[in-house]
Amino acid sequence: VLPVAQNRAGKSPAGDESMGYLRSALLQDASHVGVSSADGVSMTKLSHRGRFGNQLFQYAFLRLYGLRNHLTAKLPEWQGEAMFGLSDARAALNEYPDIFLDSFEDDDLVLWQQDAPPANVNFDGPFQAVPESWRAHRHFLRLLFTPHPERNAELAACSARREDRTLVVIHVRRGDYETLTAQDAGSPFRTTPLEWYDAALRELWPTLRNPVLHVATDGGAPVKQFFAAWPQLEAVPAGIPPDLADFFLLRDADVALICNSSFSRMASLLAKDGQRVFLPDFEAKRFVAYDPWDDRAFWARVHSEKRPAAQLENLRHASLRLRQALGAALHRPSGSLQVTASPAPLPCRCCGGEAL
């Protein structure tokens, strides 16, 4: 269940004057969900950490974290406000002490296991781990990231123009991924070969009813031309920036071939029930069936098999830092973080294990 605010008539969205919580699946308007608390949680760098897909993960984390712990979520201005009609309390710089997690690992999952996780703190980091508890709130997340009515009407009209076609959307990430791949062929941000997409389409196409393809890419004409032989979607949403149109087409696809990217991964998390999703397997060198809601270590699966020892040590220390921070920063209205330095090892107050 989620906390719901009463309307001006003193009734909740379900019409019950006394009810303060509503089952997530019964919500009809995400704006009814929220808490008003003297304690808060913020993410002042949301609009500076990555592009659209990354920002959706960070926003979802902070909103659900605030709701779970009865904290007011405070955020800066970001592009999702205009697209989704969101309105949140404003974050102020230096209002709260920072908890920084500069990692795409799953360290932040421990936050969802705490009875009294940190309050009055400013989170900074990717926050792309999806805890099991979010599964019950899929409907809420879809409502939260539904475009405002004018743009949603255009998306609906685009969908209607497809009639009985099976929409297949592939996400081909290029841009900065090409540079990162050239620097490190084992990078989690490496490109997926076009031939893998083509092989997957050849396998899937005969099994689909009247399929049509849309290529969502930042790779421009060379990528589009590679797939020119496949029947292409013509009814593309107008009045929406091309990259965001790609996002919503990925979300609305019947079949989605996503890649190692926050952009298409979030689109698959927001998709309708029944969407078939496929993800590249870099060891098998092919696309495999994938359930985005049953994955607690997305980025770990796309890392190269061998990591440098120093990198593994850094990841281990990041996890320990988080657990020690949690041990020293439990739900305190004062918002103070206590840091202890000792020449001898100390047990972690959170998990009882080794601490830095």
Side-chain angles (χ1 to χ4, degrees):
V1 296
L2 291 172
V4 292
Q6 292 185 337
N7 60 28
R8 292 181 180 179
K11 295 178 181 278
S12 72
D16 185 337
E17 295 184 6
S18 63
M19 187 174 64
Y21 291 85
L22 186 67
R23 187 177 296 277
S24 182
L26 299 179
L27 287 168
Q28 297 182 5
D29 187 341
S31 67
H32 289 141
V33 177
V35 297
S36 179
S37 171
D39 296 319
V41 61
S42 65
M43 189 175 287
T44 56
K45 293 185 179 179
L46 180 142
S47 56
H48 304 287
R49 282 226 171 257
R51 294 184 288 186
F52 188 66
N54 289 280
Q55 292 175 19
L56 293 184
F57 274 100
Q58 293 156 23
Y59 183 87
F61 164 83
L62 201 74
R63 279 296 303 271
L64 287 173
Y65 185 91
L67 291 170
R68 178 183 186 267
N69 301 298
H70 204 77
L71 303 171
T72 298
K74 301 181 180 182
L75 295 124
E77 293 184 19
W78 67 293
Q79 62 177 320
E81 291 183 333
M83 172 60 68
F84 304 118
L86 300 170
S87 178
D88 296 286
R90 282 286 173 250
L93 291 175
N94 303 318
E95 180 179 6
Y96 301 131
D98 295 332
I99 288 185
F100 179 60
L101 289 174
D102 189 15
S103 168
F104 278 85
E105 299 301 309
D106 60 356
D107 292 321
D108 49 297
L109 286 177
V110 72
L111 293 166
W112 303 93
Q113 301 166 5
Q114 298 291 305
D115 292 331
N120 301 311
V121 294
N122 180 62
F123 284 114
D124 185 9
F127 294 99
Q128 296 200 14
V130 177
E132 175 62 29
S133 59
W134 285 21
R135 185 188 290 267
H137 302 300
R138 292 172 67 171
H139 176 67
F140 170 64
L141 288 173
R142 289 169 182 160
L143 286 178
L144 197 64
F145 295 136
T146 296
H148 64 70
E150 181 180 341
R151 289 187 170 177
N152 205 39
E154 173 56 32
L155 291 169
C158 175
S159 177
R161 291 194 294 270
R162 292 198 298 270
E163 298 178 342
D164 61 346
R165 308 297 297 268
T166 298
L167 178 59
V168 181
V169 183
I170 63 176
H171 183 213
V172 184
R173 181 68 185 268
R174 288 300 183 257
D176 56 339
Y177 273 37
E178 293 181 311
T179 302
L180 294 168
T181 302
Q183 295 172 347
D184 178 7
S187 167
F189 311 112
R190 58 193 182 275
T191 57
T192 302
L194 298 181
E195 292 76 13
W196 295 8
Y197 291 94
D198 190 67
L201 290 174
R202 291 180 185 279
E203 182 178 345
L204 286 167
W205 213 258
T207 70
L208 304 175
R209 181 176 180 274
N210 201 13
V212 63
L213 178 69
H214 177 73
V215 181
T217 184
D218 57 355
V223 172
K224 296 277 190 178
Q225 184 59 36
F226 185 90
F227 298 99
W230 297 94
Q232 301 286 316
L233 177 69
E234 296 180 358
V236 177
I240 298 178
D243 59 330
L244 298 188
D246 282 346
F247 178 84
F248 292 116
L249 287 169
L250 279 161
R251 182 200 66 176
D252 295 341
D254 300 298
V255 179
L257 274 63
I258 68 172
C259 64
N260 47 323
S261 167
S262 307
F263 186 83
S264 51
R265 181 188 173 208
M266 176 54 81
S268 68
L269 287 166
L270 299 176
K272 60 191 176 184
D273 293 338
Q275 183 187 74
R276 297 175 63 189
V277 185
F278 297 84
L279 181 74
D281 183 324
F282 286 95
E283 292 187 6
K285 295 181 171 55
R286 63 189 300 269
F287 276 85
V288 297
Y290 175 70
D291 180 357
W293 281 100
D294 192 30
D295 188 357
R296 304 291 165 260
F298 178 82
W299 289 105
R301 72 168 60 239
V302 296
H303 272 288
S304 59
E305 184 175 356
K306 295 182 179 180
R307 293 186 185 178
Q311 184 181 13
L312 291 173
E313 187 68 7
N314 286 339
L315 293 175
R316 187 179 72 87
H317 282 183
S319 178
L320 290 172
R321 279 194 295 272
L322 173 62
R323 283 164 172 78
Q324 182 158 339
L326 289 174
L330 295 181
H331 202 293
R332 289 181 176 163
S334 66
S336 62
L337 292 175
Q338 296 181 355
V339 180
T340 300
S342 170
L346 296 172
C348 175
R349 292 173 54 191
C350 174
C351 67
E354 177 188 358
L356 296 179

